[in-house]
Amino acid sequence: SFSASDNFYANYNRYNDPSFEPQNSLCGSSTLPFFGCNAGLTTQLGSLDETHIFSPAVVNEIRLGVNRLVQPRVQQDITATFPGLPGAFLGYLANNTGVPRTTVTGYSTLGGATNLPSERDDTTYQFIESLLWTKGKHSFKFGGDYRKFFSTNLQTSNGRGTLSFTGSAPGVTSGYPLADLLLGLPTTSSRNPYSP
């Protein structure tokens, strides 16, 4: 309280929850080890509030607030490489490394999800002002609420590439999916060159 007619309040909260998700299908293979992901959640909330009494009949309140959410997700296998294809699927975005999404006919899928790393950032700014006016037996309240929301969503799209080993490309592959994997002879491959 600055005075009998002026009060001020401030508040700040921060919550941080880093986590490791070893078997989340959003990260990669949910049946094989080493294809989980590190996920985080950090939220911050801040507010300022000032109440001013102009007279016993007129009270004004101003509130300012901001809240922010940051939620990254990074694959566990960022240091892994693919046999026979060293560096072939490295992106220029930090943490966009690791084993490409790899399917081998008859076996579990290898590699992380094609949309990692990813990050979601949301920020909301808020301004509220209200005026309470008392006149005789009546009370009137006027005010407004303004909010501005910003959202950024980083979503990689096939940045590390995909490989398929089916053994069904005569003259190109051995005819055996697992042997093709060990030889580094994919039936099909793809990568988005514009993905970070």
Side-chain angles (χ1 to χ4, degrees):
S1 296
F2 294 117
S3 67
S5 60
D6 205 14
N7 293 301
F8 177 78
Y9 173 79
N11 181 46
Y12 174 75
N13 293 290
R14 184 176 190 274
Y15 174 76
N16 186 32
D17 183 23
S19 64
F20 173 67
E21 300 171 352
Q23 292 181 312
N24 185 336
S25 60
L26 295 174
C27 304
S29 173
S30 59
T31 57
L32 297 173
F34 309 115
F35 295 110
C37 63
N38 294 296
L41 175 63
T42 302
T43 58
Q44 298 179 78
L45 307 168
S47 65
L48 302 173
D49 187 304
E50 197 265 342
T51 303
H52 187 79
I53 302 172
F54 289 99
S55 71
V58 180
V59 178
N60 190 69
E61 181 183 21
I62 295 176
R63 286 185 284 169
L64 302 172
V66 62
N67 65 61
R68 179 159 171 76
L69 175 142
V70 178
Q71 191 173 30
R73 183 173 276 134
V74 178
Q75 63 275 14
Q76 180 185 6
D77 68 325
I78 59 173
T79 58
T81 58
F82 199 84
L85 299 169
F89 293 91
L90 300 183
Y92 61 84
L93 180 71
N95 297 323
N96 191 19
T97 59
V99 178
R101 185 76 166 174
T102 306
T103 58
V104 181
T105 301
Y107 296 89
S108 293
T109 300
L110 296 168
T114 58
N115 63 344
L116 293 181
S118 67
E119 183 170 314
R120 174 186 170 190
D121 299 337
D122 295 341
T123 305
T124 304
Y125 298 96
Q126 186 175 24
F127 173 81
I128 301 172
E129 184 170 12
S130 61
L131 179 73
L132 179 64
W133 175 42
T134 304
K135 181 70 173 174
K137 295 181 180 180
H138 302 283
S139 292
F140 302 94
K141 191 169 186 178
F142 308 94
D145 182 340
Y146 175 78
R147 296 179 194 205
K148 185 70 174 176
F149 176 73
F150 295 95
S151 182
T152 303
N153 212 343
L154 168 68
Q155 194 78 35
T156 306
S157 176
N158 200 18
R160 291 187 294 158
T162 57
L163 298 170
S164 171
F165 296 89
T166 64
S168 62
V172 178
T173 62
S174 69
Y176 300 96
L178 186 57
D180 290 347
L181 171 70
L182 298 175
L183 292 170
L185 300 172
T187 305
T188 62
S189 64
S190 66
R191 180 174 183 261
N192 180 359
Y194 301 105
S195 182

